Amino acid sequence: MTEYAAVPRQREPAEVVAELDRLNVWFPTRAGVVRAVDGVSLRIRRGETLGLVGESGSGKSTAGLALLRLVDPSAGTVRVAGQDVTRWSRRRLRALRRRVAMVFQDPQASLDPRRTIGASIAEPLIVHRLVDGAAARRQRVAELLDLVGLRRELADRHPHELSGGQRQRVGIARALAGEPDLIVLDEPIASLDLSVQAQIMNLLRRLQRDLGLTYLFIAHDLAAVEHMSDRLAVMYLGRIVETGTPAQIWRRPAHPYTAALLSAIPVADPQVERRRRRIILRGDVPSPVDPPAGCRFRTRCPQARAECAETDPVLVEVDPGHRAACLFAGDAVRAMSVTEPRRAGGSD
Amino acid sequence: MSDSPVLDVEGLAVTIGTRRGPARAVAGVDWSVQAGQTLALVGESGSGKSMSVLAATGLAPRTARVTGRVRLLGTDLTEVSPERRRRLRGRHVGFVFQDPMTSLNPVLTVGRQVSEAGEEHLGLTRRAARARAVELLDLVGIPSAAQRVDAYPHQFSGGMRQRVVIAMALACEPDLLIADEPTTALDVTTQAQIVELVADLQHRLGTAVVWITHDLGVVAGIADTVAVMYAGRIVEQGPVDAVFAHPAHPYTVALLAARPDPAARGADLVTIPGAPPSPWELPTGCAFFPRCPVRGDARCEHELPPLVPVSGRHQVRTFYPQATDGEDR
Amino acid sequence: MSETTGRSSEGQLRRTLSALRHDPLAFTGSAVLVLLVVVGVAGTWLAPAGVNEVDVDRMLQAPSWAHPFGTDELGRDVLSRVMIAARVSLQVGLVSVGIALTVGTTLGLLAGYYRGWLDNVLMRCMDVLFAFPVLLLAVAIVAVLGPGLLTATIAVGVVYTPIFARVTRAGVLSVREQVFVRAAISIGASDLRIMRRHVLPNIAAPLIVQTSLSLAFAILSEAALSFLGLGVQPPEPAWGRMLYDGRGFVTEAWWLGVFPGAAIFLTVLAFNLVGDALRDVLDPRQLTVSEARRSST
């Protein structure tokens, strides 16, 4: 667990903006201690997008929240701009939350229904006293609206008067207001219509190009994460199971879970869908209160062997910059791809 | 299997009375589904895809005015009494909705809920219905169904709950299964399980399926025929291969291009600017005109394009059918 | 969707006013309240006679053109006394509910926002207050502080504080979980700012409804206290006190009890009617009708 999910990219490595080091986030519940994040390390460098993929319960969102200290780490370290913020007081954290901003999944729910768009976007400016005077603030809000492609008049509207895509643009403008070092995008497109998803993804990429932004892009949609990210980390049950570039993960997944996830993504082509072999995982994700001993994926892994119950695999390099936490990294996936498709019904 | 459709919808229109005046949710659609076949209704939110199905089966909200003809197994549902419509629906149509949690009653065991329909519509005894519930839970792949029949919904995971809902829908051996975004709330690996389950059940039981979704990938995997809806109308429909290989409506073309493609990394995604028209003020002409990349002419703006055949049963509602092939996506 | 029905504050105010105008019961209630306020403010000038104008020649006269509500045992004009007493009732009602609203909302806000031990301590105190029968509690407070207008006001205010604390806390608990509150935390807003700018405006609707309903009960409580001789002291007129004084003359002078009683009844009814109407208009479920419809298509 000492491996970093992050690896230096080509050329000289850029400055590390934020970092999780062997982070645990455990929540006590009535049913026991939920190990939402369990030994996660990752680094985000200036100007890049790190994609964090996983299904519900994987801990990907909790890991994102930890970067703003919106959850309290049980163990490990959170570093932002070189400073260890793991034990910062409530008061000091307010300053951290200017450095790291967040965009939420549901743009409707993340905007106060009783406040105008302008007031929502201006809030970081007021809270951190970034702009003096109402006139200057209005001017800055107008610039932010321009930046995210919204008409300036919308500043006086309320959230319910906007479409879903427009609301998410407002969420992005609010995140930009404090000129943060890092923006955590938590499922920013998941609740939007397809055509609008594309608009928001293009906007996020354009903003990154123009303003040199750094993103942590959290999503369950592997295709979208792949499109957006420079590097990817795949999470399962509180752990990172595979990291690498999108191309590495997309073409040669090394962890059986990643392979199953990829094979489950439907492709908008009936010919391909009919021919493809799909790895259907058995059962459900085990409870994070009581994760399986050894490899956490072994209870659902089509290639699980006896050793998997004994050893908890760490991330090991399978290719330069491509790591997987599987005792049989690579081999297991190759073995799966020769198993027969179990797809019933349909024509063939 | 006979050639007569299980459900046949003709000229269906739904207008919903609202505080702001009448909203035209469905502006006249025709579709039908045969036994053993899957019709996918695709569209974005507000396209009327769900409403057209709810209205066809008599489940439209009370403020809705529904016109058109709907035949279920040859019986015109618009001409029978509400009571008879309810019975026909209960006996012949099964429903699976998006959120399994809200489809299930939290204070009843899953066994009770699965057996309820059998008791009501098939006249089974309590005991027989319970045995049938176990059988159904087993059919939808719930492990150790005989024990879990007495469990409550909260004791199941999301994917398992959706299996329970499917078991409920199948309780009366319906001729038609209506699946309204049944996998949208589920994870992608769970979605794959549910899609496989429905395909398998359909294959074994010969049920007709109407699958409502916004996910073109799911459509490609499950559908025999597909109808793309926009602003309350079908803009393109036909056999799934034809529509995906040669999308002819600019909207379909754009939708298919809007998904990230691993082969084209780094490129900007194709987007459709703007938003769909409001159902309170549908335009007289083509509803897609304001957002259309083709932007034909004044005719598009003022005259509603008819559904015209492209080839075979593949039809499109545009004055400017796009000549595409699968390769340039 | 480009636009939908209003949910903004102005839209809501307009909708509230329009609902009050169109619902006949609510309209009647509002009309009675307007009348009450006019009488309360200008009663001294509008009243045909002075409040303590004693006229021993006209004791216990039945209602007539000269004295529409009759006269009492000291020959005072009952109509005038009822009108002037409106001011006392309104004043006690408004001030005591004002106290309850301010204190209760503050406590409920703190309890609901911070949860934990603070919540436990505050809400258990409220439970204790709440467990007492309203009148008993008020009597106890008056017994300690001595009878009088001010004491009655404070007593009624204390009695209604737990209701506001509970309504507020319940609202805070649900609003606190909203994503927009988390969004405000995520940009570094202070707790005070979040409570004032995000939480409070979003729980205003139930508080407004509760205020209107509490006003009715506060006026009733004040009447009860005055009836028991623990509220406003004679010769100052108060509806409850007048009811008490008329009690001895029920058989020979029914008007002494009936008119102050009717005033209490109408006022309480009017506040309740308006409160119910506000509840219907401000109900959050009503506000989301447009969203629900959108997601159903």
Side-chain angles (χ1 to χ4, degrees), chain B residues 195-245:
Chain B
V195 165
E196 193 199 44
L197 171 71
V198 173
D200 179 44
L201 290 170
Q202 179 179 31
H203 189 66
R204 283 154 65 182
L205 308 174
T207 319
V209 176
V210 175
W211 192 300
I212 302 159
T213 182
H214 65 277
D215 188 330
L216 291 163
V218 170
V219 174
I222 53 125
D224 297 297
T225 49
V226 54
V228 182
M229 289 193 65
Y230 186 80
R233 285 202 175 83
I234 291 173
V235 294
E236 181 156 12
Q237 68 180 342
V240 67
D241 286 295
V243 172
F244 277 75

Side-chain angles (χ1 to χ4, degrees), chain C residues 257-296:
Chain C
V258 165
F259 290 111
I264 296 171
F265 169 76
L266 280 179
T267 307
V268 171
L269 183 67
F271 273 117
N272 273 318
L273 286 176
V274 172
D276 279 344
L278 284 175
R279 194 205 306 270
D280 290 346
V281 181
L282 300 176
D283 187 337
R285 272 164 299 185
Q286 299 253 330
L287 293 179
T288 52
V289 164
S290 55
E291 281 100 300
R293 188 174 50 237
R294 213 177 319 148
S295 61
S296 75

Side-chain angles (χ1 to χ4, degrees), chain A residues 65 68 70-71 90 93-95 97-98 100-102 104 106 108-115 119-120 123-124 126-128 157-158 160-164 166-167 174, chain C residues 1-10 12 113-114 178-191 193-194 197-199 201-205 287 291 294:
Chain A
L65 295 176
L68 286 87
L70 288 170
V71 290
R90 281 172 83 95
L93 282 177
R94 292 180 48 200
R97 290 169 189 163
R98 189 198 150 190
V100 185
M102 187 146 180
F104 296 83
D106 183 346
Q108 159 121 27
S110 69
L111 297 172
D112 188 335
R114 292 185 186 272
R115 314 201 74 204
S120 283
E123 192 152 25
I126 297 166
V127 164
H128 301 294
R157 301 281 183 85
H158 283 81
H160 71 270
E161 297 174 272
L162 272 58
S163 70
Q166 289 176 319
R167 283 186 211 123
R174 175 172 60 184
Chain C
M1 222 135 291
S2 53
E3 50 194 85
T4 43
T5 39
R7 192 179 176 171
S8 57
S9 20
E10 314 91 86
Q12 192 169 307
Y113 191 83
Y114 287 108
Q178 303 281 318
V179 184
F180 65 80
V181 170
R182 173 161 266 194
I185 298 172
S186 83
I187 60 172
S190 65
D191 292 343
R193 180 181 173 86
I194 293 170
R197 298 295 172 106
H198 295 288
V199 178
N202 279 289
I203 57 169
L287 293 179
E291 281 100 300
R294 213 177 319 148

Side-chain angles (χ1 to χ4, degrees), chain C residues 100-258:
Chain C
L101 179 70
T102 314
V103 178
T105 304
T106 308
L107 296 182
L109 200 53
L110 293 173
Y113 191 83
Y114 287 108
R115 306 293 314 273
W117 64 267
L118 185 68
D119 183 22
N120 268 318
V121 171
L122 290 177
M123 292 321 285
R124 290 308 78 76
C125 292
M126 292 297 116
D127 287 346
V128 171
L129 276 185
F130 210 59
F132 279 105
V134 169
L135 217 51
L136 184 66
L137 185 61
V139 168
I141 294 168
V142 173
V144 174
L145 299 178
L149 185 64
L150 183 66
T151 329
T153 307
I154 292 173
V156 175
V158 170
V159 164
Y160 288 100
T161 297
I163 296 184
F164 283 96
R166 284 190 171 184
V167 169
T168 307
R169 178 173 173 275
V172 174
L173 286 183
S174 78
V175 171
R176 224 208 111 98
E177 297 307 312
Q178 303 281 318
V179 184
F180 65 80
V181 170
R182 173 161 266 194
I185 298 172
S186 83
I187 60 172
S190 65
D191 292 343
L192 184 67
R193 180 181 173 86
I194 293 170
M195 282 189 256
R196 273 182 36 214
R197 298 295 172 106
H198 295 288
V199 178
L200 213 45
N202 279 289
I203 57 169
L207 285 177
I208 290 169
V209 174
Q210 188 58 50
T211 301
S212 158
L213 297 178
S214 290
L215 277 169
F217 289 107
I219 286 172
L220 208 54
S221 300
E222 180 274 328
L225 282 179
S226 295
F227 183 89
L228 295 176
L230 300 172
V232 177
Q233 294 302 302
E236 184 90 352
W239 290 340
R241 182 74 204 186
M242 291 167 74
L243 208 55
Y244 176 82
D245 292 339
R247 178 190 48 112
F249 304 91
V250 195
T251 44
E252 62 260 50
W254 53 268
W255 55 91
L256 290 190
V258 165

Side-chain angles (χ1 to χ4, degrees), chain B residues 80-158:
Chain B
V80 302
S81 69
E83 173 57 20
R84 180 150 163 68
R85 186 157 62 223
R86 191 184 68 80
R87 285 168 157 260
L88 284 170
R89 182 173 67 224
R91 176 64 192 80
H92 300 290
V93 187
F95 291 88
V96 180
F97 292 105
Q98 176 172 341
D99 184 353
M101 204 57 213
T102 55
S103 306
L104 293 169
N105 185 336
V107 300
L108 292 181
T109 65
V110 299
R112 280 294 305 139
Q113 299 185 60
V114 172
S115 55
E116 201 172 19
E119 283 176 44
E120 165 144 15
H121 294 287
L122 302 179
L124 297 180
T125 63
R126 259 268 166 108
R127 181 183 291 265
R130 188 188 152 86
R132 173 93 179 115
V134 174
E135 199 181 301
L136 284 164
L137 291 175
D138 194 50
L139 181 73
V140 296
I142 290 187
S144 45
Q147 280 95 60
R148 305 212 70 183
V149 69
D150 293 319
Y152 289 88
H154 71 267
Q155 295 169 296
F156 289 76
S157 69

Side-chain angles (χ1 to χ4, degrees), chain A residues 55-56 193 199 205 226 281, chain B residues 45 187 189 193 265-266 272:
Chain A
E55 298 185 283
S56 49
D193 268 323
Q199 291 175 11
R205 286 165 54 103
E226 198 266 356
L281 292 178
Chain B
S45 51
D187 278 322
T189 57
Q193 293 173 345
R265 249 190 74 76
I272 307 173

